[in-house]
Amino acid sequence: MSEERFSIITYMHEREAQGFGRRASVGLELDKAGESDYRTARKALSVDGHGKDDVQTQADAVFQQWVQDIRSELVTLKGRTEAEKQLYNETLNRAILGYEEDRNKLLAIIDDLVSKRRRTDLPPAASGYSTLPEAIFAEIIGLNVLELVLKHKEGLEEIQVIGRQIFEVRNGTPVPSPYQMPSSRELERIQQNLVLFNNDTLTPRKRWAEVTLRDGSRVTMTGFGFTAEPTLTIRFYTVKRFDLTSLATDELETMDATMKDLIVCLIRSYFNMVVIGPTNSGKTHLIKAIIGEMDDNERIITIESRFELNLKRDFPSKNIVEYEIDEEDSRHSGLQAFKLALRQSPKRICHAEIRDDDANLYVRACTRGHDGSITSVHVGELEDVPDAISDMCMLDGRGMNSHRLTKRITEYVTQIGIEMAVVKGKRKIVRIGEYEYDNEEVKVTDLALYDNMTERWTFPGKLSHRALQKIVKHDQDGFVLLTNLGFIKKEDDGIE
């Protein structure tokens, strides 16, 4: 069963070709009288004569009312248990987003709903479909031109729609799509389908909505008034189980073998790390690969605003507790998650993105025994990270000395910084630095730098004496390896 058969594009074009482009402003009840009206209308359409347009409009009105009736049925078919309800909503979402298996399931459900009404013998209002369920499916589930974009899903990371404009994101770079939405109204129709099937709303009173699929794909929508034009952003879940070795291959080139060995040693030596970089630069890929290198028996607690890492799914043997927070709900906020996490004996904490409210708790965790933790921060340069976290900590009104706080963060929270970027279509680590606080200033020693001219990494800096003491304590084999790789000063070779 091909996707083209269900395509809303084909459906709309053939409707127009047959004179079914007009929508009636009033609906008819779907009872025997309505069914009779539809039969009469279809019969009349086969005969040329006066009033043909009125009959077409009437037939179209009846079909549209059937569409609304089936749409309402789909919304109410939730299942008995919460798990069944979630699974059903997931099927609806994925069908709308073009997943073939789920589209076939929905077509079968629609076919069943139509059969129960004994209407399987009625042809659809639009020609080109052999059955009424197919025509109804195209009207309810169709994504218009986005279906054509979804047919080329290989490497597709995100679809961005602004009014009629469509951008496709591949390799972290958005490019204009060859397709355009026919109108903003059609985009709003797709938005309403998505919010309807998720018991959400997108109205003049609430002009935004978000839908998250079980596989991690996320749909963000805004309406007129909140943004100048309606928008739809589909961010597909593309984070695979990459390990550091894969990221160091010629295919991905996120790092090279030397950097991989360095990062592995830093992980085993329990350095607290922070990752920075723009959206789609590969931060989540890297964080997931780093967590993959951690000891399976160590308790790891992750805190995310949306489940994107899906660590327990990909690392079922790891001792992982995953939190998904909701900042609009104080009972399930990042602050509450941190309070609970610290009572669950974590060895390491992975905080997807450090925020204002929970900055103090993350700093406390890193300074009170939870070494080897990792987070991300939205800043432009590695040098800005300690001050940015310090500013977040100061927002809660506590009387703290800013210089002492920045020193503490530099030495205990942001021991190693990693900067990500998209370079010529590939996600790369462009900088790895070790933090030190000297003369009341934050200093970063560059251990690795990406050279855009040579398209290679250089390794200008050496690890500090303090860092080497930490490495010797936890990973003596790593110390030997880093010595051979040139990350250690000669005078520190015999450190104990």
Side-chain angles (χ1 to χ4, degrees):
M1 203 175 293
S2 68
E3 270 194 337
E4 290 184 0
R5 193 175 188 185
F6 309 138
S7 173
I8 194 69
I9 299 298
T10 304
Y11 171 52
M12 292 300 291
H13 285 175
E14 292 184 349
R15 278 172 61 92
E16 292 170 2
Q18 295 296 326
F20 287 98
R22 236 180 287 179
R23 298 281 181 107
S25 59
V26 295
L28 301 176
E29 291 296 321
L30 288 177
D31 53 15
K32 292 183 179 179
E35 187 171 327
S36 176
D37 287 340
Y38 182 73
R39 289 180 180 276
T40 302
R42 293 293 292 167
K43 184 176 180 181
L45 285 174
S46 63
V47 180
D48 291 332
H50 182 70
K52 185 173 180 179
D53 286 345
D54 292 338
V55 175
Q56 289 174 342
T57 301
Q58 184 182 21
D60 193 40
V62 175
F63 173 71
Q64 288 305 317
Q65 186 59 46
W66 285 355
V67 168
Q68 294 304 318
D69 183 56
I70 297 297
R71 191 196 305 268
S72 298
E73 286 280 351
L74 291 177
V75 173
T76 58
L77 291 173
K78 294 294 184 183
R80 298 174 184 173
T81 67
E82 286 301 317
E84 288 175 343
K85 292 177 182 178
Q86 184 179 2
L87 181 60
Y88 179 73
N89 282 341
E90 184 71 12
T91 300
L92 284 168
N93 290 333
R94 289 172 62 85
I96 291 173
L97 294 179
Y99 290 83
E100 184 67 19
E101 181 180 352
D102 299 278
R103 291 166 71 89
N104 290 338
K105 288 179 183 177
L106 260 294
L107 180 62
I109 292 173
I110 292 172
D111 185 69
D112 184 58
L113 292 173
V114 172
S115 297
K116 288 179 180 178
R117 290 166 173 75
R118 298 181 180 179
R119 293 180 183 134
T120 53
D121 59 329
L122 295 174
S127 63
Y129 293 95
S130 59
T131 67
L132 180 62
E134 289 176 353
I136 293 175
F137 178 95
E139 184 75 10
I140 295 175
I141 304 300
L143 274 177
N144 209 294
V145 296
L146 297 185
E147 290 193 7
L148 302 178
V149 177
L150 288 167
K151 285 182 180 179
H152 305 284
K153 274 195 274 192
E154 184 65 32
L156 184 62
E157 298 162 2
E158 196 168 298
I159 296 176
Q160 302 169 346
V161 188
I162 310 168
R164 296 185 60 199
Q165 282 184 296
I166 301 173
F167 295 88
E168 302 175 23
V169 179
R170 288 180 168 84
N171 295 320
T173 304
V175 295
S177 172
Y179 309 105
Q180 270 197 334
M181 297 296 296
S183 66
S184 294
R185 185 178 295 276
E186 185 61 26
L187 175 58
E188 290 178 310
R189 181 190 69 80
I190 295 170
Q191 289 179 334
Q192 290 304 318
N193 278 348
L194 285 164
V195 296
L196 179 66
F197 296 143
N198 284 273
N199 292 324
D200 203 345
T201 58
L202 187 64
T203 66
R205 297 188 66 181
K206 180 179 176 291
R207 292 171 283 192
W208 63 271
E210 284 192 307
V211 176
T212 303
L213 305 185
R214 185 175 298 174
D215 66 359
S217 297
R218 185 169 72 243
V219 186
T220 303
M221 296 164 274
T222 62
F224 276 122
F226 202 17
T227 49
E229 297 177 275
T231 71
L232 177 75
T233 303
I234 305 173
R235 188 174 185 183
F236 296 101
Y237 177 74
T238 56
V239 178
K240 303 174 184 177
R241 184 177 170 174
F242 289 119
D243 53 30
L244 292 178
T245 301
S246 299
L247 294 178
T249 61
D250 292 339
E251 179 184 1
L252 297 177
E253 290 185 324
T254 300
M255 64 185 80
D256 67 6
T258 300
M259 296 167 70
K260 189 263 292 184
D261 291 336
L262 171 63
I263 292 173
V264 169
C265 181
L266 296 173
I267 294 168
R268 293 175 181 172
S269 301
Y270 297 96
F271 283 86
N272 289 323
M273 291 184 269
V274 60
V275 182
I276 71 169
T279 303
N280 284 324
S281 60
K283 297 190 297 295
T284 307
H285 285 291
L286 179 64
I287 289 173
K288 188 166 186 174
I290 287 173
I291 293 174
E293 290 287 339
M294 296 175 183
D295 191 312
D296 285 355
N297 298 319
E298 294 177 346
R299 165 149 284 196
I300 302 167
I301 292 184
T302 67
I303 300 174
E304 303 177 82
S305 58
R306 299 179 189 85
F307 288 131
E308 289 188 294
L309 291 170
N310 283 313
L311 296 171
K312 199 63 181 177
R313 183 195 67 185
D314 293 337
F315 304 108
S317 62
K318 282 188 178 292
N319 185 356
I320 295 176
V321 178
E322 299 173 280
Y323 279 94
E324 184 179 48
I325 62 174
D326 181 357
E327 294 298 351
E328 296 182 4
D329 181 356
S330 60
R331 294 171 299 180
H332 302 96
S333 65
L335 190 63
Q336 183 61 49
F338 255 110
K339 290 179 180 178
L340 295 172
L342 294 177
R343 297 169 189 164
Q344 292 178 293
S345 304
K347 178 60 179 176
R348 304 177 192 251
I349 294 175
C350 171
H351 190 18
E353 179 189 345
I354 195 168
R355 300 175 185 274
D356 297 345
D357 293 338
D358 45 40
N360 268 310
L361 281 171
Y362 186 75
V363 171
R364 188 188 310 169
C366 291
T367 56
R368 296 186 182 180
H370 303 294
D371 293 339
S373 297
I374 188 169
T375 189
S376 70
V377 181
H378 279 293
V379 294
E381 299 287 341
L382 288 180
E383 284 80 0
D384 299 332
V385 173
D387 282 332
I389 298 176
S390 178
D391 289 344
M392 292 184 220
C393 291
M394 300 286 283
L395 288 175
D396 68 1
R398 299 184 192 183
M400 293 181 281
N401 182 292
S402 60
H403 293 296
R404 288 183 60 190
L405 180 59
T406 301
K407 179 178 185 294
R408 192 178 185 191
I409 291 170
T410 304
E411 293 180 344
Y412 293 101
V413 181
T414 61
Q415 295 169 333
I416 297 293
I418 303 175
E419 182 179 349
M420 304 289 298
V422 177
V423 181
K424 295 183 178 179
K426 288 194 173 184
R427 297 171 174 86
K428 295 183 183 293
I429 296 176
V430 294
R431 190 181 181 195
I432 299 178
E434 180 192 351
Y435 285 93
E436 291 183 277
Y437 195 81
D438 186 34
N439 293 325
E440 296 190 352
E441 287 186 0
V442 174
K443 294 185 178 180
V444 180
T445 299
D446 291 322
L447 303 175
L449 280 174
Y450 183 76
D451 189 328
N452 287 293
M453 297 294 292
T454 62
E455 299 185 354
R456 292 289 184 271
W457 285 273
T458 61
F459 305 96
K462 309 293 183 182
L463 286 159
S464 69
H465 186 79
R466 181 177 178 176
L468 295 179
Q469 289 179 315
K470 195 175 181 70
I471 294 171
V472 168
K473 179 180 178 181
H474 296 287
D475 187 13
Q476 292 190 7
D477 290 340
F479 177 83
V480 174
L481 179 58
L482 294 186
T483 299
N484 295 332
L485 292 174
F487 287 107
I488 297 173
K489 300 173 186 176
K490 288 184 178 182
E491 56 267 32
D492 289 325
D493 284 354
I495 193 170
E496 295 182 359

